[in-house]
Amino acid sequence: MQPEELEHPAGVRQRDGELAEVARLFTKLGFIAFGGPAAHIALMHDEAVVRRKWLSEEEFLDLLGATNLIPGPNSTEMTMHLGLRRAGWRGLVVGGACFILPAMAIVLAFAWAYVRYGDLPQVQWLLYGVTPVIIAVVFQALWGLGRKAVKNLPLLLLGSLVLILYLLGAGEIPLLFGAGLVYMLFRNLGRSGIAAIPPLPLILLAQNAQLPAMARPSGLATLFLLFLKIGSVLYGSGYVLLAFLQNDFVDRLGWLTNAQLIDAVAVGQFTPGPVFTTATFIGYVTGGWGGAVLATLGIFLPGFVFVALVNPVVPRLRESTWFGALLDGVNVAALALMAAVTLELAGAAVVDLFTAFLALTAAVLLLRYRVNSVWLVLGGGLAGLLFRILQA
C-alpha cells in the first residue's frame, strides 16, 4: 500500500472506526472483567478471536506468549497488543487506557469510602454469581487455545509437567521461561548445535536480580517512582505484587499497615479490570487524588513501553526456528498455568449447588449456543444478587 493511499479519507475513516471499536470493547471489558488475568484473557479471546475475528488463534497465542515474557500486568498488556493489531499505535494506547480507566474509577470509589468510613463496602453477592460463570468462560478459552497450542506429544507432556509443578508450588516465571527454553533446545539442538543457543539464561538471571534500594525522595515523587519500579520488573501473580508492596510500603517506608495492605490487594482482586489497580487504592490512601493518579500511571506506564517494543518483532520471532520453538514452549506453559489457576478458582467459586448450576449452565450456553460471555458474566452477577435477596 502506497503512502498516499494511507492518507485517503476513506482509509482514515476506516482506521477511526477500528479505533472506536477498540475503545468500545475494552471499555466494556474494563467494567465487567472479573476473575483475574486468566479470566480477562479468556474474555478477550472470546471477543477478539471468536466473535470479531481480529486475529487467528495462532496469532493470539503468540501475543499471549510474548506478553508472558515481559514484566507487567499480562491481561492489560494483551489489551495493548490487540489494540495495536486492530487500530495501529493509537489502538495500543486506547486499548490499554480504556481497560484501565473504568477499573481505576471503581477502585477510587472504594478507596474514598475506605478513607472516609474506615471499611470496604460489601460486594460479595456480586462475586458469588460472577465467579462460577468465569470458570466456564476460562474453560472455553483453554479448550480453544489448547487445540492450537498443543501441536504434538512433547508439548502435551511439557504442559502437563508445568501444571503438576505449579500445583506442587513451583514459581510461575521459572516454569514459563524453563518450558520455553526446554522446548527450544529440544527442537533445535540436533539441527544447529549447542553453540547456536541464544543467551536466554541471561534473561533468567536478569529477572531474578535484586534491584538496589531506591533513595527516598519526598511525597508523591516517591510514590510514582516506587510504582514505576514495580511495573518495570514485576512478573507473576497478585501474590508477587503483594510481596513487592509489603517490602516497600509496609516494611521499608511504613506508609501502610499489614491490614491496609491486605485491604488494598482485596480491592484489586474483587473489582473488575486489572489487579494492578491495587496501586490506585494505595496511591489514594497514601497521597490523595494526586497520589492515586501518579501511582496508577507509574505501575502501568512500563507495560505500554514494553508492548510497543515487543509487538513488532513477534511475527519475526515466529519465523525463527529457535524463537518459534521458544514461543511454542511458553504458550503451552502459559495455558498450563491458566488451567492451574482455574482449578484453584473453581475450588473457591463452586461452593454449593447453586454455584455449580451457574457454572454448568454457563458452560452449556458458551459451548453449545455460543452466547456472548459478557452477557453471561452480567447475568451471573444478577443471579447472585437475586439469590441472596431470596435467601434474606
Side-chain angles (χ1 to χ4, degrees):
M1 183 176 289
Q2 299 299 317
E4 58 267 20
E5 293 179 300
L6 290 173
E7 296 174 2
H8 192 277
V12 172
R13 285 196 297 271
Q14 180 182 359
R15 209 59 169 168
D16 287 343
E18 291 169 348
L19 188 65
E21 190 179 10
V22 167
R24 286 193 300 270
L25 172 59
F26 291 116
T27 299
K28 176 176 70 176
L29 292 181
F31 280 110
I32 60 95
F34 291 91
H40 302 167
I41 289 167
L43 289 168
M44 292 174 206
H45 171 262
D46 183 57
E47 293 283 347
V49 178
V50 177
R51 300 190 176 280
R52 289 170 171 79
K53 311 294 184 185
W54 286 359
L55 68 173
S56 68
E57 298 271 7
E58 291 85 353
E59 290 172 316
F60 187 90
L61 274 169
D62 284 346
L63 292 179
L64 179 59
T67 297
N68 279 285
L69 291 174
I70 59 176
N74 289 350
S75 58
T76 308
E77 288 169 344
M78 278 299 289
T79 70
M80 301 171 195
H81 278 299
L82 294 172
L84 177 57
R85 284 297 178 93
R86 183 60 178 169
W89 295 105
R90 291 188 301 165
L92 182 153
V93 176
V94 169
C98 286
F99 188 62
I100 294 165
L101 291 175
M104 177 185 174
I106 294 169
V107 170
L108 264 175
F110 279 106
W112 174 84
Y114 184 79
V115 170
R116 185 173 180 86
Y117 301 110
D119 202 356
L120 292 173
Q122 298 301 310
V123 293
Q124 294 305 311
W125 59 266
L126 184 63
L127 294 183
Y128 177 75
V130 165
T131 50
V133 175
I134 289 295
I135 299 300
V137 174
V138 178
F139 174 78
Q140 180 204 31
L142 286 170
W143 179 257
L145 293 172
R147 287 183 299 174
K148 299 294 183 181
V150 182
K151 302 175 181 179
N152 51 44
L153 180 60
L155 282 172
L156 176 62
L157 295 175
L158 183 63
S160 301
L161 180 62
V162 169
L163 174 63
I164 293 169
L165 290 175
Y166 179 80
L167 293 175
L168 291 175
E172 297 173 7
I173 301 312
L175 288 175
L176 282 167
F177 280 95
L181 181 61
V182 165
Y183 193 70
M184 182 179 68
L185 297 179
F186 170 78
R187 294 291 294 176
N188 292 281
L189 269 182
R191 267 200 306 264
S192 305
I194 195 166
I197 299 173
L200 285 175
L202 294 179
I203 300 175
L204 292 174
L205 291 174
Q207 71 92 16
N208 284 313
Q210 293 294 319
L211 291 178
M214 293 178 59
R216 183 182 176 182
S218 60
L220 296 179
T222 301
L223 194 65
F224 174 75
L225 291 173
L226 284 173
F227 279 112
L228 186 68
K229 176 191 76 172
I230 293 172
S232 299
V233 302
L234 179 60
Y235 285 91
S237 68
Y239 297 109
V240 182
L241 175 62
L242 178 62
F244 272 79
L245 297 175
Q246 172 81 28
N247 178 64
D248 282 328
F249 287 93
V250 178
D251 296 338
R252 190 163 63 83
L253 295 177
W255 287 4
L256 296 173
T257 66
N258 280 316
Q260 288 174 319
L261 177 59
I262 292 170
D263 287 341
V265 174
V267 169
Q269 293 282 348
F270 68 61
T271 51
V275 175
F276 275 31
T277 48
T278 294
T280 306
F281 187 93
I282 292 176
Y284 184 83
V285 171
T286 58
W289 297 103
V293 172
L294 287 174
T296 307
L297 180 63
I299 202 167
F300 284 109
L301 182 60
F304 286 91
V305 176
F306 289 135
V307 170
L309 293 174
V310 168
N311 187 282
V313 304
V314 172
R316 277 174 273 173
L317 292 179
R318 173 51 67 190
E319 293 170 3
S320 162
T321 56
W322 280 96
F323 285 99
L326 173 73
L327 280 175
D328 285 339
V330 170
N331 289 345
V332 166
L335 292 180
L337 293 176
M338 281 181 65
V341 170
T342 304
L343 290 175
E344 295 172 350
L345 181 61
V350 182
V351 294
D352 53 28
L353 288 176
F354 182 73
T355 50
F357 170 77
L358 285 179
L360 182 60
T361 302
V364 171
L365 292 174
L366 279 168
L367 297 172
R368 176 67 179 85
Y369 298 103
R370 311 299 302 166
V371 175
N372 192 311
S373 56
V374 171
W375 294 113
L376 290 177
V377 170
L378 293 174
L382 179 60
L385 171 61
L386 293 175
F387 186 75
R388 291 297 193 191
I389 292 174
L390 290 174
Q391 277 191 324

